[in-house]
Amino acid sequence: MFSPTALRPRYAKWLIATGLFLVLGGCVDKPNTLERVKEDGVLRVVTRNSPATYFQDRNGETGFEYELVKRFADDLGVELKIETADNLDDLFNQVGKPNGPVLAAAGLVSSEQRKQQVRFSHSYLEVTPQIIYRNGQSRPTDAGDLVGKKIMVLKGSTHAEQLAELKKKSPGIQYEESDQVEVVDLLRMVDEGQIDLTLVDSNEVAMNQVYFTNIRVAFDLGDASNQSWAVAAGEDNSLLNEINTYLDKVKKNGTLQRLKDRYYGHVDVLGYMGAYTFAQHLQQRLPKYEQHFKTYAKKEKVDWRLLAAIGYQESLWQAAVTSKTGVRGLMMLTQNTAQAMGVSNRLDPKQSIMGGAKYLAYMKEQLDESIQEPDRTWFALAAYNVGSGHLDDARKLTAKAGMNPDKWLDVKKILPRLSQKQWYSKTRYGYARGGEPVHFVANIRRYYDILTWVTQPQLEGNQVAEGNLHVPGVDKTKPSQETPQL
């Protein structure tokens, strides 16, 4: 047996070694936020599901904020994982939570109240808060004109803070904050006369004004503000410094300006050109591509005139066009769709028409068997435009509304709801410009009607014009101003 005195030196050495280990262990620094992001290989970002930030369309994930933060994740060499918040309060609460998003990229404007919750990056976009009213109503010219008006803004927004400050000076100003809507809902509500006024940033007005023809800018409320990203409060500057370096770089190399031009510098709608211009293009442009439409339509068992109508809606029968979203060619195919359909050169009209025919046939094949013609064709066109996922969302909402999800007449009434937060928040694929596929299908059906009429075997004399056959309403007077070509 060992005596107690013999054990004491060994015990003392053990205590010293253990203490030294604990001290040294305590000196090892925990990885900072940037190091954790790189170790995990994932950048977790929280944003809003809206046109100006992040949403899904037929091109996949898109939005100004999404594209900007995706490039940042690529620079870091990590995967981007997007989360969407139900409202602004929820968004700020999520930043910095354990295993949660480390960055908020959602068109945020700094304020003293928000600085208590998060820290803001360098700015990347200057915006101006604007009072929006409905055309035909009395135009407000200053803050005093807001008294007695029905006003709604986003809950937790800097716009709500602005109105709260105004209310201190003019107690008669009344407004409602809502977390059940997004900016696009507010603009729609003004457009439809549900509310008198709203307050939104200039970039969102520029992006959405074309969809809401009745909205007008009354006046700018205050000075311009800067949008920034936000990270969790604290003393860890590792990620914030990296963000600032990145934002400074994209400003300098032109990437940021290109994104601004892409999302806010153009109108992303191809308007209906008018029957007169369409008739001109029938003679001048269609003959160059008519045989290709017939060849590939026959191969894919679709009506060539329907395929031609899609081509006109997409590009006005122009082969060498590229939209701001990156879709190209006569049939305006995305890169992914072109590859899937075996198209190597989207600007080759023959390949483009082949790809469009195959894609339309594919969209038809993917539809439920319960959808019968002619509705099946209209559903396929809607999926061609907005994607099958969003179409499925609309069909489910249609069924919940007690209508028939297999009838285009019913589903087209519900599709616009995909741009309203109270509805898209309940769907799988989230926000979509639901009104676009409705207009897309309507325009194509109109072009198709005219093509069907002008290509059918002609009767003798004026029997077509004077008989009882359906004749599309063609306006024979020349429009005073034609829509510019793509």
Side-chain angles (χ1 to χ4, degrees):
M1 293 181 62
F2 293 103
S3 67
T5 55
L7 288 172
R8 284 189 193 120
R10 294 182 182 180
Y11 183 66
K13 290 178 180 178
W14 180 82
L15 284 176
I16 291 171
T18 302
L20 184 62
F21 174 79
L22 292 174
V23 170
L24 291 174
C27 293
V28 177
D29 291 333
K30 293 181 179 178
N32 60 37
T33 304
L34 181 60
E35 290 169 342
R36 289 201 309 273
V37 168
K38 291 185 175 181
E39 287 174 5
D40 293 343
V42 175
L43 178 67
R44 291 178 171 82
V45 176
V46 62
T47 188
R48 296 155 49 208
N49 189 192
S50 76
T53 52
Y54 165 81
F55 67 99
Q56 294 190 29
D57 65 5
R58 62 172 173 166
N59 305 311
E61 295 178 305
T62 189
F64 178 84
E65 293 286 350
Y66 170 78
E67 295 224 21
L68 192 59
V69 80
K70 178 65 168 66
R71 285 167 169 78
F72 178 54
D74 291 343
D75 270 14
L76 294 177
V78 299
E79 177 188 357
L80 174 63
K81 284 198 174 178
I82 292 285
E83 300 176 20
T84 56
D86 291 334
N87 51 64
L88 286 168
D89 289 338
D90 180 44
L91 182 143
F92 284 109
N93 289 334
Q94 285 190 44
V95 179
K97 278 191 173 182
N99 300 317
V102 295
L103 166 63
L108 304 174
V109 172
S110 172
S111 71
E112 292 305 315
Q113 182 177 332
R114 288 178 172 180
K115 286 179 181 178
Q116 298 175 18
Q117 297 176 273
V118 295
R119 290 171 299 157
F120 287 93
S121 70
H122 292 175
S123 65
Y124 54 84
L125 186 65
E126 184 179 270
V127 297
T128 303
Q130 296 180 319
I131 293 290
I132 306 301
Y133 76 108
R134 189 174 191 271
N135 186 37
Q137 302 299 310
S138 177
R139 177 182 179 180
T141 58
D142 56 37
D145 292 337
L146 305 185
V147 176
K149 300 295 185 180
K150 186 176 182 180
I151 307 171
M152 183 183 289
V153 293
L154 295 186
K155 186 176 184 295
S157 64
T158 52
H159 303 130
E161 294 180 28
Q162 282 182 279
L163 291 177
E165 287 299 313
L166 278 180
K167 188 174 172 62
K168 292 177 182 178
K169 301 175 182 177
S170 302
I173 294 177
Q174 302 293 325
Y175 64 93
E176 179 184 353
E177 294 183 56
S178 176
D179 60 3
Q180 299 302 307
V181 297
E182 256 294 346
V183 170
V184 69
D185 297 294
L186 296 174
L187 296 175
R188 175 181 53 81
M189 292 169 78
V190 173
D191 184 79
E192 296 176 354
Q194 297 180 36
I195 57 177
D196 297 321
L197 306 170
T198 189
L199 177 59
V200 300
D201 287 329
S202 52
N203 65 312
E204 305 239 33
V205 178
M207 171 172 280
N208 291 291
Q209 191 161 23
V210 68
Y211 304 112
F212 305 109
T213 56
N214 291 316
I215 65 171
R216 298 289 186 275
V217 176
F219 61 91
D220 296 344
L221 187 64
D223 298 327
S225 303
N226 291 310
Q227 291 187 347
S228 306
W229 288 346
V231 300
E235 298 181 355
D236 182 354
N237 293 318
S238 58
L239 181 61
L240 186 60
N241 290 339
E242 194 75 9
I243 288 170
N244 288 335
T245 299
Y246 164 74
L247 291 176
D248 292 345
K249 181 185 73 173
V250 294
K251 284 180 187 177
K252 188 175 181 179
N253 66 21
T255 299
L256 184 60
Q257 188 58 49
R258 285 192 292 273
L259 282 177
K260 289 178 183 178
D261 290 343
R262 175 173 168 185
Y263 282 92
Y264 303 121
H266 303 83
V267 176
D268 187 24
V269 168
L270 176 60
Y272 183 69
M273 294 283 291
Y276 180 90
T277 307
F278 181 68
Q280 285 185 313
H281 291 166
L282 275 173
Q283 298 175 19
Q284 299 166 1
R285 298 181 181 178
L286 181 59
K288 292 186 289 185
Y289 310 116
E290 183 173 335
Q291 192 54 50
H292 296 326
F293 283 124
K294 289 180 176 178
T295 298
Y296 291 108
K298 183 177 181 180
K299 187 173 182 180
E300 300 300 334
K301 297 179 181 179
V302 297
D303 191 320
W304 79 266
R305 295 163 297 191
L306 182 67
L307 194 61
I310 297 173
Y312 189 74
Q313 169 67 19
E314 292 284 47
S315 70
L316 309 184
W317 295 325
Q318 298 176 103
V321 290
T322 301
S323 84
K324 71 179 185 62
T325 57
V327 292
R328 307 186 77 187
L330 195 145
M331 301 299 286
M332 283 297 193
L333 303 176
T334 67
Q335 183 65 51
N336 290 339
T337 299
Q339 290 177 351
M341 298 299 115
V343 174
S344 59
N345 180 5
R346 288 181 288 167
L347 297 183
D348 180 337
K350 184 177 179 181
Q351 288 194 42
S352 184
I353 292 170
M354 179 268 289
K358 290 177 69 174
Y359 189 56
L360 178 63
Y362 175 76
M363 287 291 102
K364 259 192 174 184
E365 291 171 2
Q366 299 305 303
L367 295 172
D368 290 347
E369 292 182 0
S370 57
I371 303 172
Q372 302 298 312
E373 292 290 5
D375 297 274
R376 194 172 186 84
T377 293
W378 314 141
F379 276 95
L381 290 173
Y384 188 105
N385 176 259
V386 78
S388 56
H390 289 306
L391 181 63
D392 286 342
D393 283 344
R395 292 184 64 221
K396 289 173 183 175
L397 290 176
T398 303
K400 288 180 181 178
M403 295 186 284
N404 191 339
D406 297 336
K407 293 296 181 184
W408 176 245
L409 188 64
D410 287 346
V411 175
K412 76 173 185 177
K413 296 175 183 176
I414 300 297
L415 266 165
R417 292 186 179 182
L418 296 182
S419 64
Q420 302 173 30
K421 187 175 181 180
Q422 69 178 102
W423 299 107
Y424 72 66
S425 60
K426 302 174 184 177
T427 65
R428 179 179 178 183
Y429 293 96
Y431 174 88
R433 290 171 176 160
E436 282 192 5
V438 176
H439 293 300
F440 182 82
V441 174
N443 283 354
I444 289 172
R445 289 180 70 171
R446 190 175 183 187
Y447 300 142
Y448 176 68
D449 278 348
I450 299 173
L451 279 167
T452 301
W453 175 64
V454 299
T455 58
Q456 68 182 347
Q458 295 299 300
L459 302 180
E460 293 183 8
N462 294 321
Q463 286 178 288
V464 172
E466 298 175 358
N468 294 321
L469 296 177
H470 166 66
V471 179
V474 179
D475 183 358
K476 297 181 180 180
T477 61
K478 184 174 181 178
S480 58
Q481 183 176 3
E482 295 183 7
T483 304
Q485 297 180 0
L486 283 176

